[in-house]
């Protein structure tokens, strides 16, 4: 028996050693929080003090050393996020994951995302270039001293290459591409226009400015179907954020208060990373993005700023006609011109395989239809002549001065100075609110907006005639902007910044105004405005969309006691999307099915899947005015809107009763409205991936200030909270040291760090942190101090 016990003991020892080795391996790459490191590349010592939330407070003798330190801490906490960003931007994903990365790689190479960034770096002014170079050196310094990388690098069998200056700038182009997706809308409209009548198109698009008006293409729907299939999935959600700024005349302290919560996809870790920098010439704090050397949202000693996405139309698709006498040329108003051609080699996996992508450009921009190598040839045979589809895009340029704009903004001394910095900003187009410590507040739309000779950019147009060409961009002085309004505040929640028939046409990519109207309503009923009241507004969950639509829905006929109970409950509802209440669940589930029942049959499965979302104005119009949508075209029996309302309500109540029981009062919105903050690498590990993800029941919905946008198109998790405020901030200009911040996850991207998800619950419950402690307070209450010293 002794050998049995010895074997078991030996096995236990091996398991213990394996677990211990695995634990220390998994903890590899965790940042060093205290001590001293000698690092090449610094001019003077830098102190990095981490507060209790692992936020780095960087104290440096000069700006370049501060940027060096920011690069160092970004790499120590979020290296995987940074690495994936630059791989995607460079069109090198297939090197890492094989064929499944090819569609995205081709798209990035066609748009020359990384190539143009490299050219932009070469044209930076000296002071901005020095900041980028210092930040880049800090990342490489961390890589040089890191004996162990985060475990994902070993799982992926990937060793990061040295960081390059262009890597520190390319995220700006990635987010611009994500937030400038109009060309996809053009493709969808072109596909829909062939399937629907003009009146139907008007009904589907009237909520945001009207139907498309510039369809000038003879290309068949099949062409656009194929092109849509060749495109990679969007990089992420494209719209939604809140911002407002209130003048000192309306606040308790007599100085402005600015609030901002940008809404993007929710993942682990959060996109955002909090940091504070203090040097003799720079004092700035707020949200950074790892891989970028600047504070993108936040405040300095004198100015605070925030942004929302405008949804401006900065992309147009031009149908170019190939010269029938020479396939290497295309037609223009002045004759035939050659395509500009370049080759891109895309490596696939680690086995040496690669493909060569031929990229052509016209005078409008790169040819998108080349993403599918067979598409153009097939349709040339069908149409009897050749066409290609080229993309005009304001972000497709080597001359992007956005990095300089943000560099100058970080140093602005007043609102006028900040506004002047934004003259340099290019893409994506944003709505910006500003406030300074002297009491001024402002709103301006920033970025390049094209001026069209004709058309509204909503559909693909002929490129060979010149009729729809861009004639330039709107001058900065003519962009929508204002300072110190009489009513005392500016509000934007992706709603229309200026009328569509005004002097500046921004397109139809804006959101319905429910969130902006609710913020305005709350500001006008709150006097004086305090930081606490601002926080309450940011967390408000009343849905004005439900308030507008539900009365129409409640006109449904009642046939059963269950119907009556559900409707009575909804009539008592205050339209608050609280996670512990049943009414939001019943309303949203019913609203979702109404969208399906009203227009799925007309669109067909493919188009419906792309157009489908919760559309309150469209649904209300269909139920009250355009009632022909209530008749299902797939059945022989005529249907009325009463039939649609009743049948969808009955189906929803059947499903909810089956899932949650007969007691409606016990149903909870929070049981389905869950933010799944998943890790894109660790979360995919079989069996144990769930350990690395976070989940939180949340309040709100698609149209509430506390936004909890959902994946309503999903059949498995239609009510999951997939898009919302990964960062919230409030900046009181009377005392910016009392600014409030929160992230959706935590500072660290390392799964075994205690700061991997330590903000999730606080984010869920509307709590805040501050990051203005003195070095003495940080020494007493922080996690430690790391000093970086220059090499002797």
């Amino acid at each position: 028996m002794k050998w049995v016990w010895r074997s078991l003991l030996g096995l236990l020892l091996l398991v213990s050693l394996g677990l211990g080795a695995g634990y220390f391996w998994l903890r590899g790459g965790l940042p060093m929080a205290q001590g001293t490191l000698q690092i090449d590349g610094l001019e003077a010592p830098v102190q990095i003090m981490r507060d209790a939330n692992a936020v780095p407070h960087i104290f440096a003798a000069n700006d370049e050393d501060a940027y060096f330190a920011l690069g160092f801490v970004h790499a120590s906490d979020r290296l995987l996020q940074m690495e994936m960003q630059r791989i995607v931007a460079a069109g090198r994903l297939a090197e890492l994951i094989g064929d499944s990365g090819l569609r995205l790689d081709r798209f990035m190479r066609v748009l020359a995302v990384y190539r143009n960034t490299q050219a932009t770096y070469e044209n930076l002014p000296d002071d901005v270039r020095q900041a980028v170079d210092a930040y880049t050196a800090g990342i490489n310094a961390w890589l040089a001293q890191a004996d162990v990388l985060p475990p994902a690098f070993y799982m992926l069998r990937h060793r990061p290459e040295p960081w390059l200056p262009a890597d520190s700038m390319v995220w700006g182009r990635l987010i611009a591409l994500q937030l400038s997706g109009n060309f996809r809308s053009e493709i969808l409209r072109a596909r829909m226009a062939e399937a629907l009548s003009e009146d139907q198109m008007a009904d589907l698009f009237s909520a945001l400015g009207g139907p498309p008006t510039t369809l000038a293409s003879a290309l068949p729907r099949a062409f656009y179907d194929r092109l849509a299939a060749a495109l990679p999935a969007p990089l992420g959600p494209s719209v939604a954020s809140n911002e407002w700024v209130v003048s000192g005349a309306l606040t308790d302290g007599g100085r402005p208060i600015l609030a901002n919560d940008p809404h993007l996809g929710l993942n682990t870790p959060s996109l955002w990373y909090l940091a504070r920098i203090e040097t003799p010439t720079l004092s700035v704090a707020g949200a950074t993005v790892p891989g970028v050397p600047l504070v993108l949202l936040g405040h300095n000693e004198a100015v605070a700023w925030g942004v929302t996405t405008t949804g401006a139309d900065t992309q147009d698709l031009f149908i170019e006609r190939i010269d029938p006498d020479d396939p290497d040329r295309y037609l223009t108003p002045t004759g035939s011109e050659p395509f500009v051609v370049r080759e891109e080699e895309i490596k696939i996996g680690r086995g040496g395989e690669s493909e060569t992508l031929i990229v052509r450009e016209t005078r409008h921009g790169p040819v998108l239809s080349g993403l599918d190598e067979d598409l153009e040839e097939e349709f040339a045979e069908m149409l009897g002549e050749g066409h290609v589809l080229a993309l005009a895009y304001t972000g497709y340029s080597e001359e992007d001065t956005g990095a300089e704009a943000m560099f100058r903004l970080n140093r602005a001394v007043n609102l006028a100075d900040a506004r002047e910095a934004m003259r340099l900003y290019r893409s994506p187009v944003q709505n910006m609110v500003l406030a300074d410590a002297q009491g001024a507040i402002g709103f301006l739309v920033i970025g390049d907006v094209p001026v069209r000779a004709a058309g509204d950019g909503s559909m693909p147009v002929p490129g060979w005639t010149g009729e729809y060409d861009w004639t330039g961009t709107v001058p900065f002085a003519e962009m929508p902007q204002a300072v110190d309004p009489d009513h005392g505040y500016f509000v934007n929640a992706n709603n229309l910044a200026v009328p569509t028939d005004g002097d500046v046409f921004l397109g139809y990519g804006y959101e319905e105004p429910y969130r902006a109207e609710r913020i305005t309503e709350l500001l006008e009923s709150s006097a004086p405005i305090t930081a606490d009241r601002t926080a309450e507004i940011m967390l408000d969950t009343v849905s004005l969309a439900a308030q507008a639509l539900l009365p129409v829905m409640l006109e449904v006929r009642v046939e059963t006691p269950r119907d009556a109970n559900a409707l009575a409950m909804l009539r008592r509802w205050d339209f608050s999307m609280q996670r512990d209440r049943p009414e939001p669940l019943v309303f949203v589930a019913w609203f979702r099915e109404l969208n399906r029942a009203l227009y799925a049959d007309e669109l067909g499965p493919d188009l419906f899947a792309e157009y489908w979302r919760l559309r309150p104005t469209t649904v209300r119009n269909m139920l009250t005015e355009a009632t022909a949508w209530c008749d299902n075209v797939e059945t022989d029996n005529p249907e009325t809107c009463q039939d649609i309302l009743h049948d969808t309500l009955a189906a929803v109540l059947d499903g909810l009763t089956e899932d949650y029981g007969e007691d409606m009062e016990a149903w909870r919105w929070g049981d389905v409205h869950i933010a799944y903050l998943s890790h894109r690498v660790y979360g995919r590990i079989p069996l144990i991936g769930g350990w690395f993800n976070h989940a939180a029941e949340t309040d709100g919905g698609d149209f509430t200030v506390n936004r909890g946008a959902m994946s309503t198109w999903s059949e498995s998790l239609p009510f999951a909270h997939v898009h919302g405020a990964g960062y919230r901030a409030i900046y009181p200009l009377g005392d910016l040291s009392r600014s409030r911040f929160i992230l959706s996850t935590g500072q660290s991207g390392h799964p075994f760090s205690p700061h991997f998800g330590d903000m999730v619950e606080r984010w869920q419950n509307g709590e805040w942190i501050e990051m203005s402690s003195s070095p003495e307070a940080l020494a007493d209450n922080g996690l430690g101090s790391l000093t970086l010293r220059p090499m002797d």
Side-chain angles (χ1 to χ4, degrees):
M1 291 294 294
K2 288 183 178 179
W3 68 271
V4 175
W5 290 108
R6 286 173 181 168
S7 298
L8 289 173
L9 185 62
L11 180 61
L12 180 61
L13 180 61
L14 285 172
V15 170
S16 299
L17 288 172
L19 289 173
Y23 173 76
F24 285 108
W25 172 72
L26 286 168
R27 287 183 61 85
L30 281 175
M32 180 178 175
Q34 54 189 344
T36 300
L37 286 175
Q38 282 198 312
I39 299 287
D40 191 21
L42 290 170
E43 293 183 16
V46 179
Q47 191 174 29
I48 303 170
M49 306 186 77
R50 290 185 182 262
D51 64 22
N53 300 295
V55 176
H57 299 243
I58 298 169
F59 300 91
N62 59 75
D63 293 358
E64 285 70 33
D65 283 352
Y67 287 124
F68 183 103
L70 183 63
F72 192 90
V73 296
H74 274 170
S76 70
D77 279 323
R78 299 283 192 92
L79 183 63
L80 179 61
Q81 175 186 347
M82 297 162 61
E83 184 71 0
M84 294 308 297
Q85 284 171 185
R86 68 167 172 169
I87 285 174
V88 167
R92 297 179 60 184
L93 188 60
E95 289 184 40
L96 193 64
I97 65 173
D99 289 342
S100 58
L102 274 175
R103 278 203 302 174
L104 184 55
D105 283 355
R106 291 172 186 145
F107 185 63
M108 291 296 170
R109 299 295 185 94
V110 166
L111 293 186
V113 172
Y114 197 82
R115 176 189 292 263
N116 286 341
T117 304
Q118 290 174 309
T120 298
Y121 167 76
E122 298 299 331
N123 294 320
L124 288 177
D126 289 344
D127 53 352
V128 184
R129 182 197 291 262
Q130 288 166 7
V132 171
D133 289 348
Y135 176 81
T136 301
I139 296 170
N140 285 324
W142 188 87
L143 289 171
Q145 60 82 52
D147 295 325
V148 181
L149 296 171
F153 287 90
Y154 301 99
M155 293 166 51
L156 297 170
R157 295 184 296 149
H158 176 72
R159 180 81 188 181
E161 298 171 357
W163 200 261
L164 299 176
D167 300 331
S168 299
M169 298 176 61
V170 76
W171 180 83
R173 290 183 184 268
L174 278 183
I175 195 64
L177 193 57
Q178 177 177 332
L179 300 180
S180 307
N182 173 263
F183 83 93
R184 294 177 186 270
S185 299
E186 290 188 41
I187 293 172
L188 176 61
R189 290 190 189 104
R191 296 165 67 199
M192 291 173 67
E194 188 170 309
L196 303 172
S197 70
E198 290 185 12
D199 287 344
Q200 287 175 316
M201 290 291 284
D203 291 337
L204 292 175
F205 290 99
S206 61
L208 296 176
T213 59
T214 58
L215 177 61
S217 164
L219 294 182
R221 173 182 165 183
F223 180 93
Y224 295 109
D225 286 343
R226 281 283 299 277
L227 178 59
L231 292 170
L235 293 173
S238 61
V239 284
S241 297
N242 300 317
E243 65 180 5
W244 63 94
V245 60
V246 181
S247 77
L250 301 180
T251 67
D252 60 334
R255 285 289 184 270
I257 295 176
L258 190 151
N260 186 210
D261 55 312
H263 304 168
L264 293 166
L266 297 173
N267 296 290
T268 295
S270 166
L271 168 69
W272 306 101
Y273 180 94
L274 300 176
R276 173 187 171 203
I277 293 174
E278 298 288 343
T279 78
T281 56
L282 180 64
S283 175
V284 63
T288 67
V289 168
V292 181
L294 301 165
V295 172
L296 301 177
L297 302 171
H299 70 84
N300 58 26
E301 291 182 307
V303 177
W305 62 93
V307 298
T308 65
T309 294
T310 310
D313 185 349
T314 58
Q315 298 174 334
D316 280 355
L317 289 172
F318 284 89
I319 304 160
E320 311 281 19
R321 182 173 289 170
I322 296 175
D323 186 335
D325 298 322
D326 186 345
D328 295 326
R329 303 174 70 88
Y330 66 99
L331 301 183
T332 79
T334 57
S336 174
E337 291 187 12
F339 289 102
V340 176
V341 180
R342 57 183 159 87
E343 291 187 1
E344 297 279 351
E345 182 184 6
I346 303 176
K347 296 180 180 178
I348 306 169
R350 298 174 178 83
E353 184 183 354
S354 66
E355 75 166 32
T356 299
L357 178 69
I358 306 299
V359 180
R360 291 167 296 169
E361 294 183 24
T362 74
R363 65 195 183 93
H364 294 114
V367 172
L368 278 190
S369 49
L371 291 168
D372 184 332
E373 60 185 13
D374 299 322
L375 175 63
E376 296 167 7
E377 182 176 342
E378 290 179 14
F379 281 94
E381 295 177 2
M382 178 185 299
L383 299 172
E385 57 186 2
H387 295 84
V388 299
L389 209 61
L391 175 67
Y393 170 38
T394 57
Y396 186 79
S397 171
E398 296 179 357
E399 300 174 2
D400 186 346
T401 51
E404 182 183 357
M406 296 308 298
F407 181 87
R408 307 284 178 227
L409 178 63
N410 277 209
R411 289 159 173 76
V413 298
N414 54 36
L415 189 145
D417 203 20
R419 178 183 175 277
E420 195 62 25
M422 289 301 101
R423 284 183 180 273
L424 297 164
Y425 183 84
R426 295 289 173 259
S427 183
V429 177
Q430 299 282 279
N431 308 302
M432 174 171 276
V433 289
L434 293 160
D436 68 24
Q438 299 168 32
I441 66 171
F443 171 86
L444 58 158
V445 178
I446 56 174
D448 286 342
V449 173
V451 177
R452 298 172 174 87
D456 62 4
S458 63
M459 292 285 246
V461 293
W464 62 90
T465 67
E467 181 181 357
Y468 301 97
D469 282 3
W470 292 0
T471 59
T473 58
V474 178
F476 179 78
E478 297 176 16
M479 291 287 282
Q481 51 191 292
V483 175
D484 296 331
D486 292 340
H487 58 274
Y489 58 82
F490 292 109
V491 173
N492 188 269
N494 312 108
N495 51 293
L496 186 61
V498 290
T500 55
D501 59 356
D503 294 335
V504 177
F505 177 67
L506 297 174
Y508 302 124
Y510 51 91
E511 290 278 284
E512 295 188 61
Y514 299 111
R515 284 180 289 123
E517 290 173 352
R518 179 60 177 169
I519 295 167
T520 300
E521 178 182 292
L522 293 170
L523 288 176
E524 292 185 345
S525 63
S526 305
I529 301 295
T530 66
D532 286 342
R533 181 58 179 150
T534 302
E536 292 172 358
I537 294 172
M538 190 173 281
L539 298 170
D540 183 79
T541 63
V542 170
S543 172
L544 296 190
Q547 192 177 82
L549 179 61
L550 187 59
V552 176
M553 296 166 63
L554 290 176
E555 293 177 6
V556 62
R557 66 175 180 266
V558 178
E559 294 188 357
T560 68
R562 187 182 67 175
D563 294 348
N565 290 338
L567 296 176
M569 183 176 69
L570 289 173
R571 285 190 178 95
R572 296 190 299 269
W573 183 34
D574 64 358
F575 308 108
S576 180
M577 305 283 290
Q578 294 288 336
R579 60 182 181 264
D580 60 351
R581 295 300 305 159
E583 298 93 345
L585 176 57
V586 178
F587 169 73
V588 174
W590 188 10
F591 181 19
R592 177 176 183 265
E593 288 309 308
L594 276 172
N595 278 267
R596 189 204 305 266
L598 286 166
Y599 53 80
D601 51 329
E602 285 85 356
L603 291 179
D606 293 340
L607 295 178
F608 174 70
E610 293 191 42
Y611 178 81
W612 189 21
R613 58 182 287 190
L614 300 181
R615 297 180 180 273
T617 302
T618 300
V619 167
R620 181 183 173 87
N621 180 57
M622 289 177 175
L623 292 173
T624 58
E625 302 292 335
T627 56
W629 291 91
C630 293
D631 189 8
N632 192 326
V633 299
E634 295 180 347
T635 65
D636 294 329
N637 299 321
E639 286 185 300
T640 67
C641 294
Q642 274 292 321
D643 295 329
I644 292 285
L645 284 167
H646 174 267
D647 293 349
T648 52
L649 176 62
V652 163
L653 293 178
D654 284 344
L656 293 177
T657 300
E658 181 178 351
D659 290 341
Y660 303 108
E662 296 184 1
D663 183 2
M664 291 184 193
E665 292 293 339
W667 297 350
R668 296 178 66 258
W669 179 228
D671 287 339
V672 295
H673 193 246
I674 298 171
Y676 294 100
L677 303 158
S678 302
H679 197 284
R680 291 178 175 174
V681 176
Y682 301 123
R684 298 171 183 255
I685 301 174
L687 301 179
I688 63 171
W691 296 352
F692 306 107
N693 299 330
H694 301 100
E697 296 181 0
T698 55
D699 299 323
D702 276 24
F703 307 101
T704 56
V705 180
N706 184 3
R707 194 163 193 262
M710 295 163 279
S711 53
T712 49
W713 59 88
S714 167
E715 294 296 345
S716 58
L717 293 170
F719 309 114
H721 179 179
V722 297
H723 182 204
Y727 168 71
R728 299 187 186 115
I730 298 170
Y731 314 108
L733 274 293
D735 184 0
L736 284 166
S737 69
R738 303 305 305 274
S739 294
R740 306 180 185 189
F741 308 87
I742 200 69
L743 300 181
S744 54
T745 55
Q747 285 285 97
S748 179
H750 198 291
F752 282 83
S753 165
H755 305 287
F756 183 59
D758 60 332
M759 295 189 198
V760 172
E761 187 172 348
R762 288 177 283 181
W763 170 79
Q764 175 191 32
N765 294 324
E767 299 172 15
W768 305 90
I769 68 170
E770 296 180 1
M771 51 180 192
S772 59
S773 301
S774 66
E776 293 76 20
L778 288 168
D780 292 338
N781 303 310
L783 301 178
S785 175
L786 174 64
T787 300
L788 304 182
R789 292 190 176 279
M791 297 289 285
D792 294 335

